[in-house]
Amino acid sequence: MEITKILSKCDHTLLKQTATWEEIKEICDDGIKYGCASVCIPPCFVKATKEYCGDKIPVCTVIGFPNGYSTTATKVFEAKDACDNGASEIDMVININFVKSGRYDEVYEEIKLIADAVHAKGALLKVIIETCDLTEDEKIRLCKIVSDAKADFIKTSTGFGSAGAKVEDIVLMKKNISPEVRIKAAGGIRTEEAAKEMLDNGAIRIGASKLGN
């Protein structure tokens, strides 16, 4: 797989707490230059990024990031606000506290509410489950929940957890999601070879900050 094809499936990402507007503009320029799938940037930069990029590249941002324990109402507001500011892709973090508490109905309801809100704005929803914090059974249950809630993607990681994307998690997700849900691998993917391995095993989108460098 050529690097240009890999980059076309990459959300070129900069989510560091210390990121500056000048750095955001740099990844926008690189994302456009390399034909990336989107640029993934902090919510506070969405409006300026959309104004800077126009329609040259989709703008992606994160909601409830990185811990996922904001209230559902807060996340729904964040998602709508991001879409109104120009984001066409939303990556939300699930409430892992609720997963660990066995409150799966509430996890589903939250994802469904955000999916409905995002889809009403014409945007895509990617659901970050933070695989490094989950048991295999929890991962399988969340594949079904994300599918039932009609999200567009399931995503492995925030990149801020104790570990990032693993090939075995991509394989597990592929077996347990509905055919309509796609997979985004993110977290620790820094080489062309690592990205290719994720794509070869079922991911169709990559979150990375280094591949174009």
Side-chain angles (χ1 to χ4, degrees):
M1 188 181 293
E2 294 181 358
I3 185 63
T4 52
K5 187 171 182 181
I6 293 173
L7 289 170
S8 74
K9 299 177 183 295
C10 177
D11 292 341
H12 194 24
T13 302
L14 179 58
L15 294 169
K16 292 188 302 183
Q17 298 95 325
T18 55
T20 65
W21 173 234
E22 289 304 314
E23 291 172 319
I24 296 293
K25 285 196 291 185
E26 284 180 24
I27 73 152
C28 291
D29 293 341
D30 286 345
I32 293 165
K33 174 182 176 182
Y34 292 115
C36 293
S38 79
V39 287
C40 186
I41 47 98
C44 61
F45 288 120
V46 167
K47 190 171 185 179
T49 299
K50 181 61 178 176
E51 290 170 355
Y52 182 74
C53 294
D55 295 327
K56 295 177 184 175
I57 192 168
V59 177
C60 172
T61 195
V62 289
I63 298 302
F65 194 87
N67 296 312
Y69 48 38
S70 306
T71 64
T72 296
T74 300
K75 288 181 180 176
V76 171
F77 176 85
E78 275 191 280
K80 289 179 177 178
D81 185 56
C83 292
D84 289 343
N85 284 331
S88 56
E89 302 192 5
I90 301 294
D91 291 19
M92 66 161 283
V93 185
I94 63 162
N95 191 316
I96 301 166
N97 303 85
F98 284 3
V99 172
K100 295 299 181 180
S101 301
R103 295 163 66 174
Y104 287 102
D105 288 349
E106 290 166 89
V107 174
Y108 164 80
E109 289 296 335
E110 177 173 277
I111 297 169
K112 183 71 168 66
L113 282 169
I114 296 170
D116 289 348
V118 166
H119 292 156
K121 300 284 188 180
L124 296 175
L125 180 65
K126 308 188 200 99
V127 179
I128 307 170
I129 65 170
E130 200 70 290
T131 48
C132 62
D133 291 333
L134 305 174
T135 66
E136 183 169 315
D137 179 65
E138 288 166 345
K139 293 170 192 175
I140 291 169
R141 292 190 71 167
L142 285 165
C143 284
K144 177 170 173 50
I145 286 170
V146 171
S147 299
D148 290 346
K150 307 296 185 187
D152 301 285
F153 284 80
I154 188 168
K155 176 178 169 183
T156 58
S157 319
T158 60
F160 285 67
S162 59
K166 295 182 179 179
V167 170
E168 53 263 39
D169 287 329
I170 303 301
V171 173
L172 183 72
M173 287 175 172
K174 188 69 175 173
K175 288 179 181 176
N176 290 284
I177 53 174
S178 68
E180 296 78 24
V181 177
R182 292 159 280 177
I183 299 171
K184 177 176 173 179
I189 303 171
R190 296 187 176 90
T191 66
E192 181 180 342
E193 293 74 22
K196 183 177 184 300
E197 190 175 19
M198 297 296 173
L199 295 168
D200 287 346
N201 280 281
I204 74 149
R205 194 74 73 89
I206 298 292
S209 57
K210 304 291 185 185
L211 289 179
N213 293 352

